């Protein structure tokens, strides 16, 4: 896959429902500077900047990279803006990596963000379109029927989603950057929360967050210039399929399966549950954990919920394959950045730099993002060992 | 880096002032069919990677590009990505993908309908959201400010701008995709009233709807397809500050940086296709690029003859490709721009093989 590259710096902001203390430029700069500090570098060490975010309509700024040039030290450098729906955080990391893996650049900065307090996602997702059914449901309303179909097919107990919601919030309570900090959350509390889109309750849905995430990706030759251990990029893949087509399996989308197969082949993964030490997977609604456990090959068809039930994905229960130790999308959701946070948190684990949510001796991790009508996927595998 | 990347197919729709009820997918499909036909493949399954450029705000919908996927026949799923930029940058992303060995071939396309909205006003919302966007400074007014600076400094005269327009209209007479074409003298053009002083309407690119598409690949793939191909021997881009007060608007620092990176200055170029949405900007670019007298500029008429937002940059590359394939040129330069007053610039060098 071309030149070998690694993550040498990671920077995130504190996630919150409203970061009124910073502008959008201030938000992305905070993440970028944290990443540069983590890598012991400055803006002058960066060859190119790759930025990503979810739709421009969220904040109401057309092509915001044009305005963010100065904040990201990109003046006089190449700057690229990626937009691939909810998977954008992951795709942006992969496009940034390709800047280095292609041999074109030695070291790039990549940043993604969303400032939901300055936006109206529900409005942005619901503008009426000619000749199309007007949807005023947001993402939860779109995914709820697909989740119901998963429950019907798998005969999963009805409280699996509640279990995921509790588990990811307990993980999030270990992460000081987390938007939601709910160390005392209980099964009962989630069950009693308002039903939003049956079967998704309020506490089974992701929050709306402000935040940004940044990474520095460097060619292997420059890795030693940064002090912390690198996260080697062992594979990266993207897949897209249409929102609707005859015979499409919306519960277990083929684009997700194909993407996983591709990235596993690059990284030499044949048994993901056994080989990975942990995974950061895009789970914006609780039930997507068991669904993606199956889609990504961690469990057989119809069996994903058993891993959740047995605590296999829980750090607190000592599970063998912890998912979303950072708290996941269920704890922090700056939409455009949420995918990159997954990729960055996977990298933090294999760098041994995840503090209170560190998986002991993590060497190999999967980062995953999805978007649109569960039709756009991006994934990467990162490892502690240089290949 | 040592992989030779070639362009094997290009197609652009006619630039039309109003595509009517045709939606974006209907604009894209004919161009995809055309490029598939040029290399003898049947759909996007036959290339390794697809990347597009579009802008949600022009369609008035979040995820406008998602509809574009419907034009691709992405079943089974494909490797696909998207930039919220002109498709010239989608081409750039595809080039990286081929260089890293992840793809041998790629389909690139860009599309937009600018007609339903008020484009200059829509583009005002790409300015700094706290200090500039609330003033709704439209893209024509900003360009007028730039032209005024050039006139006041004596860098250009109004007749120089009219000469750019006259040349564009004349060249466009040979371009059946052009929206505006014809024989106009400089004095004819100067008799027109000013629109946003000092710009006349003819100094501004028109509002156009349409799409363009391109296929690129490795040299070995091009030979396997047995089609005429052109080498994309260089591509690079630079952005500069958004703060207009921090820039010398009468020149293009970022264009100069790219030109230096690609060693374009003083190199031999038969043609140059420049994305100059306003007549005076073509002069800024010519100066930044230090183009020689023998270089023919905008033989297609350029974007003053028709400006497909999100596709015009890719189309500049495509126009150079077409002329090299036709044997009218050996080596050419294509340019794309983004942002107010030429903030972000991309250059590509194409060479015959």
């Amino acid at each position: 896959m071309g030149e070998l590259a690694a993550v040498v710096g990671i920077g995130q902001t504190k996630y919150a429902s409203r970061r009124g203390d910073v502008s959008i430029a201030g938000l992305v700069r905070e993440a970028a500077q944290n990443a540069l500090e983590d890598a012991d570098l400055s803006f002058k060490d960066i060859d190119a900047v790759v930025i990503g975010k979810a739709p421009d309509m969220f904040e109401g700024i057309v092509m915001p990279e044009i305005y963010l040039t100065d904040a990201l030290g990109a003046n006089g450098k190449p700057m690229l803006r990626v937009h691939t729906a909810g998977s954008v955080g992951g795709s942006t990391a992969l496009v940034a990596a390709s800047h280095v893996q292609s041999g074109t650049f030695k070291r790039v900065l990549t940043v993604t963000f969303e400032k939901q307090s300055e936006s109206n996602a529900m409005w942005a997702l619901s503008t009426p379109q000619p000749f199309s059914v007007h949807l005023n449901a947001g993402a939860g309303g779109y995914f709820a029927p697909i989740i119901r179909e998963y429950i019907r097919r798998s005969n999963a107990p009805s409280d699996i989603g509640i279990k995921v919601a509790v588990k990811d919030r307990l993980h999030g309570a270990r992460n000081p950057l987390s938007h939601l900090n709910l160390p005392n959350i209980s099964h009962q509390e989630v069950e009693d929360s308002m039903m939003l889109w049956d079967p998704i309750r309020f506490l089974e849905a992701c929050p709306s967050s402000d935040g940004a995430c940044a990474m520095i990706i460097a060619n292997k030759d420059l890795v030693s210039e940064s002090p912390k251990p690198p996260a080697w990029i062992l594979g990266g893949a993207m897949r897209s399929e249409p929102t609707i087509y005859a015979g499409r399996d919306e519960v277990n989308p083929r684009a997700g399966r194909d993407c996983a197969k591709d990235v596993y082949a690059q990284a030499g993964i044949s048994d993901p549950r056994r080989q990975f030490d942990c995974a950061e997977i895009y789970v914006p609604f609780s039930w997507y954990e068991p669904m993606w456990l199956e889609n990504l090959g961690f469990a057989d068809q119809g069996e994903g919920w058993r891993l959740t039930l047995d605590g296999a994905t829980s750090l607190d229960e000592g599970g063998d394959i912890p998912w979303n130790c950072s708290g996941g999308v269920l704890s922090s959701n700056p939409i455009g950045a949420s995918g990159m946070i997954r990729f960055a948190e996977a990298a933090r684990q294999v760098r041994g730099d995840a503090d209170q949510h560190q998986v002991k001796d993590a060497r190999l991790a999967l980062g995953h993002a999805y978007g649109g009508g569960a039709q756009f996927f991006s994934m990467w595998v990162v490892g502690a060992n240089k290949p | 880096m040592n992989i030779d990347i070639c362009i094997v197919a290009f197609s652009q729709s006619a630039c039309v002032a109003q595509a009517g009820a045709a939606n974006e997918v209907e604009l894209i499909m004919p161009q995809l069919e055309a490029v598939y036909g040029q290399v003898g493949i049947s759909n996007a399954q036959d290339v390794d990677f697809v990347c597009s450029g579009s802008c949600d705000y022009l369609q008035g919908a979040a995820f406008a590009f998602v509809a574009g996927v419907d034009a691709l026949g992405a079943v089974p799923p494909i490797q696909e990505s998207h930039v919220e930029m002109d498709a010239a940058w989608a081409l750039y992303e595809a080039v990286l993908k081929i260089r890293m060995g992840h793809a041998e071939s790629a389909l690139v396309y860009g599309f937009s309908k600018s007609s339903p909205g008020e484009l200059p006003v829509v583009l005002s919302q790409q300015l700094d959201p706290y200090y500039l966007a609330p003033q709704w400074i439209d893209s024509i007014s900003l360009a007028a400010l730039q032209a005024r600076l050039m006139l006041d400094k004596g860098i250009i005269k109004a007749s120089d701008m009219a000469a750019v327009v006259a040349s564009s209209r004349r060249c466009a007479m040979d371009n059946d995709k052009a929206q505006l074409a014809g024989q106009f003298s400089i004095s004819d053009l100067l008799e027109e009233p000013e629109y946003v002083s000092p710009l006349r309407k003819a100094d501004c690119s028109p509002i156009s709807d349409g799409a363009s598409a391109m296929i690129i690949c490795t040299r070995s793939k091009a030979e396997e397809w047995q089609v005429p191909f052109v080498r994309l021997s260089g591509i690079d881009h630079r952005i500069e500050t958004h703060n207009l007060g921090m820039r010398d608007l009468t020149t293009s620092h970022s264009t100069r940086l790219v030109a230096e990176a690609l060693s374009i200055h003083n190199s031999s170029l038969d043609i140059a296709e420049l994305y100059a949405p306003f007549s005076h900007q073509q002069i800024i670019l010519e100066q930044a690029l230090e183009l020689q007298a023998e270089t023919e500029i905008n033989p297609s008429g350029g974007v003053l003859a028709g400006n497909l937002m999100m596709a015009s940059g890719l189309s500049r590359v495509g126009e150079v490709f077409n002329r090299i394939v036709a044997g009218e040129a050996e080596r050419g330069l294509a340019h794309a721009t983004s942002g107010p007053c030429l903030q972000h610039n991309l250059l590509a060098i194409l060479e015959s093989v």
Side-chain angles (χ1 to χ4, degrees):
Chain A
M1 64 186 292
E3 296 276 319
L4 184 60
V7 179
V8 298
I10 296 172
Q12 299 180 63
T13 62
K14 167 78 178 117
Y15 304 114
S17 57
R18 182 174 153 76
R19 283 292 307 271
D21 57 324
V22 286
S23 62
I24 292 170
L27 190 73
V28 295
R29 192 173 176 89
E30 182 179 317
Q33 274 188 320
N34 288 344
L36 288 167
E37 220 166 273
D38 190 51
D40 196 21
L41 299 169
S42 66
F43 280 112
K44 69 174 174 11
D45 300 311
I46 298 301
D47 300 334
V49 178
V50 183
I51 184 167
K53 73 172 298 299
D56 291 0
M57 287 190 156
F58 280 7
E59 282 86 3
I61 310 169
V62 180
M63 306 177 201
E65 71 281 359
I66 286 170
Y67 139 73
L68 293 171
T69 305
D70 299 87
L72 293 173
N75 295 346
K77 295 174 186 173
M79 191 178 194
L80 196 80
R81 156 73 194 290
V82 181
H83 174 22
T84 62
S87 63
V88 67
S91 311
T92 305
L94 294 179
V95 173
S98 76
H99 277 65
V100 176
Q101 291 163 327
S102 62
T104 312
F105 300 96
K106 287 292 185 189
R107 195 154 44 198
V108 301
L109 167 68
T110 182
V111 187
T112 52
F113 75 96
E114 207 72 64
K115 203 153 191 283
Q116 291 216 62
S117 67
E118 293 187 33
S119 78
N120 187 336
M122 194 68 147
W123 168 79
L125 293 174
S126 304
T127 52
Q129 289 298 299
F131 312 112
S132 297
V133 178
H134 182 53
L135 207 65
N136 220 336
Y142 183 89
F143 291 117
I146 301 171
I147 292 171
R148 292 168 72 89
E149 169 63 7
Y150 170 75
I151 296 170
R152 190 193 66 78
R153 284 189 200 175
S154 66
N155 289 312
S158 62
D159 63 347
I160 292 295
I162 296 173
K163 174 130 194 184
V164 175
V166 171
K167 186 256 309 177
D168 278 1
R169 270 50 174 272
L170 291 177
H171 286 172
R174 295 163 171 258
N175 178 0
L177 299 176
S178 183
H179 173 179
L180 300 182
N181 186 9
L182 305 170
N184 302 313
I185 192 170
S186 68
H187 193 286
Q188 192 63 46
E189 187 184 353
V190 177
E191 189 168 359
D192 290 347
S193 68
M194 187 200 292
M195 186 64 82
L196 294 182
W197 310 273
D198 196 348
I200 307 169
R201 294 172 179 82
F202 178 74
L203 282 172
E204 290 182 81
C206 52
S208 291
S209 314
D210 285 1
C213 178
M215 290 191 283
I216 316 283
I217 296 174
N219 182 284
K220 63 176 188 313
D221 300 336
L222 298 191
V223 161
S224 61
E225 290 183 16
S226 292
K228 288 189 185 175
W232 298 101
I233 300 168
L234 307 179
M238 298 186 213
R239 283 296 185 282
S240 307
E241 67 183 25
T243 319
I244 299 166
Y245 61 87
R248 175 164 191 244
D249 187 346
E250 293 181 79
V251 175
N252 187 7
R254 175 160 176 194
R257 282 181 277 138
D258 288 4
C259 190
K261 193 176 163 192
D262 184 352
V263 79
Y264 293 170
Q266 292 172 42
I269 304 289
S270 51
D271 183 348
R273 180 173 177 185
R274 193 176 54 78
Q275 288 175 271
F276 286 120
D277 297 300
C278 56
E280 282 281 339
I281 308 297
Y282 205 101
V283 177
F285 301 104
S286 60
W287 279 94
Y288 267 88
E289 174 170 301
M291 290 162 68
W292 291 150
L293 278 164
E294 296 171 25
N295 187 252
L296 297 170
F298 285 73
D300 291 336
Q301 288 301 298
E303 304 291 320
W305 59 269
R306 291 186 197 275
L307 272 66
T308 302
L309 186 67
D310 295 343
T313 57
S314 164
L315 201 52
D316 296 287
E317 293 180 51
D320 65 287
I321 181 67
W323 270 33
N324 296 326
C325 302
S326 66
V329 183
L330 284 172
S331 296
S332 309
N333 183 36
I335 301 175
S338 290
M340 184 170 284
I341 299 169
R342 308 280 71 71
F343 278 47
E345 285 288 345
R348 282 183 77 187
Q349 290 289 348
V350 301
R351 297 174 90 200
D353 194 34
D355 297 328
Q356 293 305 304
H357 60 278
Q358 176 71 45
V359 174
K360 196 166 175 292
D361 299 327
R363 310 295 292 172
L364 201 59
L366 174 67
H368 162 279
Y370 85 94
Q375 66 192 110
F376 301 110
F377 292 84
S378 57
M379 300 176 198
W380 82 1
V381 174
V382 281
N385 297 340
K386 188 176 179 180
Chain B
M1 270 297 255
N2 297 322
I3 296 174
D4 247 0
I5 296 177
C6 301
I7 302 172
V8 286
F10 172 71
S11 178
Q12 186 206 295
S13 68
C15 296
V16 296
Q18 233 277 32
N23 66 21
E24 284 73 3
V25 175
E26 289 164 320
L27 295 182
I28 299 164
M29 294 274 310
Q31 308 321 313
L32 297 187
E33 290 302 322
V35 292
Y36 297 154
Q38 287 173 34
V39 293
I41 60 176
S42 46
N43 58 43
Q45 299 289 338
D46 297 331
V47 294
D48 299 328
F49 182 63
V50 179
C51 198
S52 62
S54 71
C55 175
D56 284 355
Y57 258 84
L58 298 180
Q59 190 166 333
F63 309 120
F65 69 93
V66 175
V69 176
D70 285 344
L72 295 170
V75 183
I78 58 172
Q79 295 198 59
E80 185 259 353
S81 187
H82 172 262
V83 294
E84 196 81 356
M85 307 178 85
D86 187 285
W89 279 271
L91 171 66
Y92 186 81
E93 184 179 330
V95 165
L96 296 181
K97 204 84 174 170
I98 294 178
R99 279 185 191 162
M100 71 185 275
H102 255 201
E104 286 192 339
S105 58
L107 167 68
V108 180
Y109 63 95
F111 60 99
S112 80
K113 278 178 83 172
S114 300
S115 64
E118 292 174 61
L119 182 64
V121 178
V122 171
L123 292 180
S124 76
Q125 296 308 293
Q126 67 181 192
L127 302 173
D128 180 317
Y130 306 103
Y131 296 106
L132 290 172
Q135 302 180 59
W136 297 92
I137 311 169
D138 65 274
S139 53
I140 296 177
S141 297
L142 287 175
L145 188 81
Q146 186 179 35
R148 174 62 69 201
L149 275 169
M150 295 181 74
L151 289 165
D152 287 356
K153 284 191 175 181
I155 297 169
I156 54 168
K157 301 186 297 293
S159 57
D160 297 329
M161 294 163 65
V164 168
V165 178
S167 168
S168 162
R169 296 286 192 273
R170 188 174 57 250
C171 290
M173 291 171 75
D174 296 326
N175 178 359
D176 61 1
K177 306 286 167 44
Q179 191 173 331
L180 300 172
Q183 283 287 0
F184 297 90
S185 70
I186 290 173
S187 55
D188 289 343
L189 291 163
L190 289 175
E191 272 172 31
E192 292 296 314
E194 285 183 338
Y195 175 50
V196 178
S197 176
L199 301 177
R200 291 169 173 79
K201 269 204 168 163
D203 291 311
C204 312
S205 52
I207 302 294
S208 316
D209 294 346
S212 64
M214 179 178 283
I215 295 176
I216 63 168
C217 63
T218 59
R219 190 178 181 125
S220 56
K221 190 75 191 172
E223 283 163 359
E224 181 192 318
W225 274 332
Q226 296 184 307
V227 289
F229 60 90
V230 167
R231 202 159 77 88
L232 180 61
S233 59
I235 184 167
D236 203 351
H237 65 110
R238 295 287 186 281
I239 197 164
E240 57 191 293
T241 178
H242 179 65
N243 191 329
L244 294 174
M246 300 283 284
R247 282 166 57 191
D248 177 358
L249 294 180
T250 64
T251 181
S252 178
H253 177 61
S254 50
T255 301
R256 204 168 269 283
L257 285 177
V258 195
E260 284 163 9
L262 291 175
S263 306
I264 283 168
H265 293 144
N266 298 315
S267 77
S268 160
L269 294 164
D270 301 318
I271 54 169
E273 280 282 341
L274 308 179
Y275 191 166
F278 299 92
S279 59
H280 66 279
Q281 292 180 343
Q282 181 173 316
I283 301 168
I284 293 175
L285 292 168
E286 287 171 27
Q287 291 176 351
L289 293 165
E290 297 175 19
L291 293 179
Q292 311 289 304
E294 73 268 16
T295 305
E296 190 187 353
I297 296 166
N298 287 345
S300 71
V303 296
L304 291 176
N307 181 22
L308 301 177
M309 290 298 292
M310 319 317 290
S312 273
L314 182 68
S315 285
R316 305 279 65 69
V317 182
E319 290 288 351
V320 175
F321 163 78
N322 280 347
R323 279 177 174 73
I324 295 178
V325 166
E328 295 164 20
E330 289 276 313
R331 190 167 188 271
L333 176 71
H335 161 265
T337 197
S338 174
C341 300
L342 303 173
Q343 187 188 339
H344 193 180
N345 295 284
L346 176 146
L347 297 175
I349 306 173
L350 284 72
E351 294 176 6
S352 66
V353 285

